[in-house]
Amino acid sequence: MAFIHLDVRCLYAILICTAFGSTLSSNTEIKVNPPEDFEIVDPGYLGYLYLQWQPPLFLDNCEEHTVEYELKYRNIDSENWRTIITKNLLYKDGFDLNKGVEAKIHTVLQGQCTNGSEVQSSWSEASYWTSPQGNLETKIQDMNCIYYNWQYLLCSWKLGMDVSFDTNYYLFYWYEGLDHALQCSDYIEDNGKNIGCRFSYLEEPDYKDFYICVNGSSKSQLIRPSYFIFQLQNIVKPLPPDYLNIVVKKSEDINLEWNIPEGPIPATCFIYEIKFTEDNTTWMATTFENQMYVTRTSNDSQELCFLVRSKMNVYCTDDGIWSEWSEIECWRGVRQEEILSFLIPFAFILFLILVITCLLVSKQKTLQKMILQKKQEVFPRQETIC
Ligand SMILES: *[C@@H]1O[C@H](CO)[C@@H](O)[C@H](O)[C@H]1NC(C)=O
Ligand SMILES: *[C@@H]1O[C@H](CO)[C@@H](O)[C@H](O)[C@H]1NC(C)=O
Ligand SMILES: *[C@@H]1O[C@H](CO)[C@@H](O)[C@H](O)[C@H]1NC(C)=O
Ligand SMILES: *[C@@H]1O[C@H](CO)[C@@H](O)[C@H](O)[C@H]1NC(C)=O
């Protein structure tokens, strides 16, 4: 009997489970529409785009705040989608406009209005291309931007390969904080053609995406624009360190010292590379300090030399450019031949001085004698006069 009772309980449990399951499955039938009017808008910031949309239709039995959107976007050709979950109707991000942009979005319902389960709409898609004009050969080549000493930004490029005589190029830039894209105000020219730009004072451009577009014009052909995105703190090239000094403490302990490059870069943001030469052997090392202790490998080494260059370190930026090498600083040990070659002329000069003083002294003595003799000759005469 006990067995039968148990079986009946099990049966009840199974019945309840299936009943509950069927209510759940009926809930997943709730449908939701994708967002309306999904579009990618280019505000003219050279790569910073707005992805925007409107709420889905027929959300009657749901309150607005329970609606979320899952947004996915990427540059066409890139492998990974970036995914964003948001309750807003607008999302902004930077894109490489040399390529197209594609994005998709769907509505996600969760919580009360779906009785706890998650409901997703179908995807709504959008894409964006800057109308590709001109063939690839008309683009500028070898764009190179350097932020010298975290103060002066300078970009340079080479002309396109297949361009007509009247082609010229123009640089535009934008970063967060500017109302609109600005044109370069100080071009570097070569034969009347713009091949670079010196940027005037930039207000707080660091740790932001810095968008650049170099486009061009020609009467006879279309010129393909090029787009670039930099973070200025990642393209800093510091000044080389100066005032290098070698202090030889004991015969084998050496201290290398140098000055932190002057300018706005904090002392804690540097890493240094040292090239040290002891006679014929050279080695390299890096340090975060502006000095380094070194041990001589041989007491006989005659010449110790080093030079240093600097770069921004990983605590302040993701990347950087090495400065030029500093002037070389050398210390030379004193060899025995050098001591001799120094002592011999010194001894010779000392000897000469000795001889001359001797001569002078002896000459003075003879002079004094002569004067005395003359006096003696004069006095007797006076006596005779008196
Ligand atoms: C949620 O469940 C309750 C009862 O379990 C039901 O009355 C209601 O219609 C369900 N809501 C939706 C949106 O299906
Ligand atoms: C170059 O780009 C700027 C900024 O987008 C634009 O204002 C300008 O008209 C373009 N010039 C040419 C020749 O396409
Ligand atoms: C350094 O190199 C030169 C020539 O290569 C050689 O004559 C000299 O002996 C070397 N000095 C040392 C300390 O090895
Ligand atoms: C150099 O000379 C000092 C003192 O004369 C000695 O203590 C030391 O071991 C020497 N070092 C080398 C590398 O020969």
Side-chain angles (χ1 to χ4, degrees):
M1 281 307 279
F3 271 121
I4 293 166
H5 270 286
L6 217 77
D7 274 348
V8 170
R9 269 198 219 154
C10 260
L11 205 71
Y12 275 133
I14 287 161
L15 274 174
I16 289 166
C17 280
T18 43
F20 197 69
S22 70
T23 55
L24 267 183
S25 67
S26 79
N27 278 348
T28 55
E29 280 163 25
I30 299 168
K31 284 211 175 119
V32 62
N33 287 310
E36 291 286 299
D37 304 329
F38 181 46
E39 59 180 344
I40 301 175
V41 176
D42 184 354
Y45 295 155
L46 314 178
Y48 191 66
L49 301 180
Y50 297 170
L51 310 173
Q52 58 191 49
W53 57 94
Q54 294 301 316
L57 297 175
F58 315 119
L59 267 177
D60 313 328
N61 50 356
C62 269
E63 289 169 41
E64 285 260 316
H65 68 266
T66 60
V67 181
E68 285 184 335
Y69 305 99
E70 184 181 19
L71 172 67
K72 287 177 178 282
Y73 59 91
R74 65 176 180 184
N75 266 117
I76 290 171
D77 294 346
S78 76
E79 293 203 340
N80 302 319
W81 293 90
R82 282 206 65 187
T83 302
I84 302 293
I85 307 284
T86 178
K87 288 183 172 171
N88 300 330
L89 299 173
L90 173 65
Y91 193 79
K92 304 173 181 179
D93 203 356
F95 295 88
D96 176 3
L97 290 192
N98 296 304
K99 301 171 191 162
V101 173
E102 57 184 339
K104 55 185 181 180
I105 191 167
H106 65 189
T107 315
V108 178
L109 285 187
Q110 226 158 4
Q112 266 190 322
C113 59
T114 60
N115 279 343
S117 62
E118 186 182 285
V119 179
Q120 298 179 346
S121 76
S122 58
W123 290 102
S124 180
E125 293 178 8
S127 62
Y128 178 75
W129 286 91
T130 57
S131 45
Q133 55 170 15
N135 62 40
L136 270 176
E137 272 76 56
T138 61
K139 281 170 81 138
I140 57 155
Q141 304 174 71
D142 301 339
M143 178 70 154
N144 185 23
C145 288
I146 297 178
Y147 198 27
Y148 286 97
N149 209 29
W150 207 326
Q151 276 173 315
Y152 315 104
L153 177 61
L154 199 145
C155 290
S156 59
W157 58 83
K158 293 196 183 115
L159 305 180
M161 286 196 288
D162 178 28
V163 291
S164 54
F165 176 72
D166 69 331
T167 306
N168 207 352
Y169 293 95
Y170 307 97
L171 182 146
F172 293 81
Y173 65 98
W174 181 84
Y175 58 92
E176 232 177 312
L178 296 184
D179 294 338
H180 54 90
L182 297 176
Q183 191 180 170
C184 174
S185 58
D186 187 9
Y187 283 110
I188 302 165
E189 289 180 35
D190 179 37
N191 286 326
K193 302 212 183 291
N194 299 330
I195 55 154
C197 178
R198 292 179 209 94
F199 289 79
S200 47
Y201 172 74
L202 299 167
E203 200 173 330
E204 294 185 15
D206 317 312
Y207 298 102
K208 295 172 184 172
D209 285 332
F210 193 94
Y211 297 87
I212 291 179
C213 169
V214 181
N215 58 18
S217 69
S218 156
K219 284 201 179 94
S220 55
Q221 66 186 147
L222 289 169
I223 304 297
R224 175 76 67 98
S226 300
Y227 295 88
F228 306 90
I229 307 174
F230 295 106
Q231 292 241 330
L232 294 195
Q233 77 280 359
N234 289 341
I235 53 168
V236 172
K237 180 174 179 174
L239 290 172
D242 53 7
Y243 297 106
L244 275 62
N245 190 21
I246 301 181
V247 182
V248 180
K249 291 197 160 164
K250 281 180 256 156
S251 61
E252 72 264 44
D253 285 347
I254 302 158
N255 196 14
L256 312 176
E257 309 166 331
W258 54 91
N259 262 21
I260 295 158
E262 271 183 41
I265 306 174
T268 50
C269 282
F270 283 108
I271 182 167
Y272 303 97
E273 188 170 57
I274 293 109
K275 197 192 272 181
F276 181 81
T277 308
E278 182 173 0
D279 287 337
N280 288 354
T281 54
T282 299
W283 51 257
M284 311 261 269
T286 53
T287 173
F288 291 105
E289 308 285 325
N290 63 319
Q291 60 171 351
M292 188 176 216
Y293 290 98
V294 170
T295 317
R296 261 160 102 178
T297 48
S298 150
N299 276 346
D300 300 331
S301 55
Q302 296 302 327
E303 190 177 59
L304 310 172
C305 290
F306 85 108
L307 23 77
V308 195
R309 59 180 183 170
S310 60
K311 198 174 113 166
M312 297 264 296
N313 66 33
V314 289
Y315 302 112
C316 297
T317 135
D318 296 336
D319 203 358
I321 302 168
W322 282 110
S323 75
E324 299 298 317
W325 284 104
S326 70
E327 307 264 306
I328 193 164
E329 170 72 16
C330 287
W331 175 90
R332 284 181 182 83
V334 188
R335 292 168 215 242
Q336 256 169 1
E337 312 98 70
E338 277 175 8
I339 295 172
L340 280 182
S341 63
F342 171 75
L343 273 183
I344 288 169
F346 186 72
F348 184 68
I349 289 166
L350 215 72
F351 177 72
L352 260 181
I353 291 170
L354 214 73
V355 168
I356 290 167
T357 36
C358 280
L359 276 174
L360 279 176
V361 166
S362 64
K363 206 169 183 186
Q364 208 167 16
K365 274 187 181 164
T366 49
L367 258 170
Q368 271 174 347
K369 256 186 201 167
M370 274 167 71
I371 289 167
L372 266 175
Q373 275 175 356
K374 268 193 183 163
K375 271 188 182 170
Q376 277 169 356
E377 274 168 27
V378 171
F379 276 117
R381 250 198 228 168
Q382 276 179 335
E383 274 171 1
T384 51
I385 291 168
C386 291

